[in-house]
Amino acid sequence: MRNRVRALRAVLVGGIAVVLTTPIAYAESMDEVTVAHRGASTSKFGEGTLPAYKYAVRNRADILDADVRWTKDGTDADSVGTIVILHDRTLDRVTNCTGTLSSRLWSEIRDKCRTDIGDQPLMRVVDLLSYADSVGKSVALEIKVCSISDAQAKQLWNAIKNSRIQLQATSSCLDALNKIKKLDAADTTHKISYALIILGTRSWPSVSTIKKIAPAIHAKLTIPADVARSYRLANIKVFLYTGKNASDDAKMIALQPYGVVVDDVARFQRWRDAATGSIDPPL
């Protein structure tokens, strides 16, 4: 897969001025380069649903991306709330339900809420991990709740520790991430990976700052080429987000990332296949 990405970079050199020519050697622990943003954001599949993730896998996604939040405490099996795949704080944008996720019990959401696109139920994190494990895929999980209890941290850790996970957080949610890292450090049999999500709204953090937090970053496409290069030279794995069209794809590849995060994996793969002249066999 990475050989195809290198070939694509060569194709793009002549047309994109910001191409960086210095080869970078990564100490890679995974081969994945294509991240399916919330599974898929298309006109057929509701984001963060099982059909969206199955679509991503059919179209050669390497990592399945998801955001995690908690439902209301209650009589559900998870006494501190159920961990659900949902980007937004509220149910309003993607489902027929309204209100905050944290104000609703999982049993109610499971029975009543369906996505506006595809009419699909939402997923628990354990359901996504079960599917990802069954098809041999890694999962990138972003903690969207910046203040979590010790019980919630333990609950999340127990859910993810046996899967191939990259756990992510923005700088504002590092307290939550650190609770998981503390449990991780105390365990000698399970280890997960971490990534810092960089928004770049004020400044780009230094290499030393990043390395204190994680060996990888997820950075917006607005990242300057020289900053991306400095991170790569420091063996920080750079994932770029989010590719929505061919122009975005070209920008991402030109910046020589370790991975790309795309809304529609099938569209991206068609673009990459056309650019490289190679077609992978179907799954």
Side-chain angles (χ1 to χ4, degrees):
M1 181 68 78
R2 293 194 67 79
N3 287 336
R4 294 181 60 230
V5 174
R6 293 189 184 99
L8 179 53
R9 290 176 188 146
V11 172
L12 294 171
V13 166
I16 301 177
V18 295
V19 168
L20 304 175
T21 58
T22 304
I24 305 299
Y26 285 99
E28 296 172 359
S29 60
M30 299 188 297
D31 293 328
E32 290 87 341
V33 292
T34 306
V35 183
H37 189 225
R38 305 176 201 166
S41 296
T42 73
S43 59
K44 294 182 179 180
F45 305 106
E47 63 182 55
T49 63
L50 184 57
Y53 290 114
K54 287 184 174 180
Y55 170 83
V57 170
R58 288 197 304 271
N59 288 285
R60 296 177 276 145
D62 299 306
I63 300 177
L64 306 179
D65 166 84
D67 304 291
V68 296
R69 293 182 179 275
W70 277 260
T71 64
K72 181 181 179 181
D73 295 356
T75 57
D76 294 333
D78 295 321
S79 60
V80 293
T82 300
I83 314 173
V84 175
I85 304 301
L86 187 67
H87 174 270
D88 298 2
R89 187 176 65 90
T90 72
L91 295 156
D92 301 42
R93 179 177 63 88
V94 297
T95 78
N96 60 320
C97 294
T98 58
T100 60
L101 182 75
S102 60
S103 68
R104 307 283 286 270
L105 293 172
W106 166 245
S107 56
E108 180 186 10
I109 294 169
R110 178 197 62 207
D111 295 341
K112 297 181 179 180
C113 301
R114 295 294 181 269
T115 57
D116 295 332
I117 299 174
D119 193 33
Q120 292 295 319
L122 297 181
M123 295 182 72
R124 300 173 301 171
V125 69
V126 293
D127 299 325
L128 174 58
L129 297 182
S130 176
Y131 171 67
D133 291 342
S134 73
V135 293
K137 296 298 180 181
S138 298
V139 178
L141 293 177
E142 180 183 351
I143 303 175
K144 300 297 287 188
V145 182
C146 293
S147 179
I148 63 174
S149 67
D150 291 342
Q152 287 174 319
K154 187 173 182 179
Q155 176 196 28
L156 180 56
W157 165 242
N158 284 328
I160 68 178
K161 66 183 181 182
N162 291 312
S163 298
R164 296 177 64 192
I165 297 294
Q166 183 189 77
L167 193 62
Q168 312 166 4
T170 61
S171 58
S172 60
C173 289
L174 289 183
D175 286 347
L177 186 71
N178 287 334
K179 287 191 174 187
I180 306 299
K181 292 176 76 172
K182 183 177 180 180
L183 294 169
D184 192 22
D187 189 292
T188 59
T189 57
H190 303 93
K191 294 297 175 186
I192 60 178
S193 299
Y194 299 93
L196 174 66
I197 298 174
I198 301 176
L199 304 177
T201 52
R202 295 181 181 177
S203 62
W204 300 93
S206 67
V207 165
S208 60
T209 296
I210 294 171
K211 286 194 169 185
K212 290 177 183 178
I213 299 169
I217 61 165
H218 283 242
K220 280 190 172 182
L221 270 171
T222 52
I223 187 171
D226 60 334
V227 175
R229 181 175 183 273
S230 70
Y231 292 161
R232 295 195 328 273
L233 285 171
N235 286 319
I236 294 170
K237 294 177 181 178
V238 178
F239 293 80
L240 296 178
Y241 68 92
T242 305
K244 300 179 183 297
N245 50 49
S247 177
D248 290 344
D249 299 338
K251 290 177 183 178
M252 289 192 295
I253 297 300
L255 289 168
Q256 298 184 340
Y258 178 86
V260 294
V261 183
V262 296
D263 274 348
D264 186 337
V265 176
R267 182 206 56 75
F268 172 73
Q269 300 291 20
R270 288 193 299 269
W271 175 84
R272 181 160 61 179
D273 290 342
T276 61
S278 64
I279 300 177
D280 285 351
L283 293 173

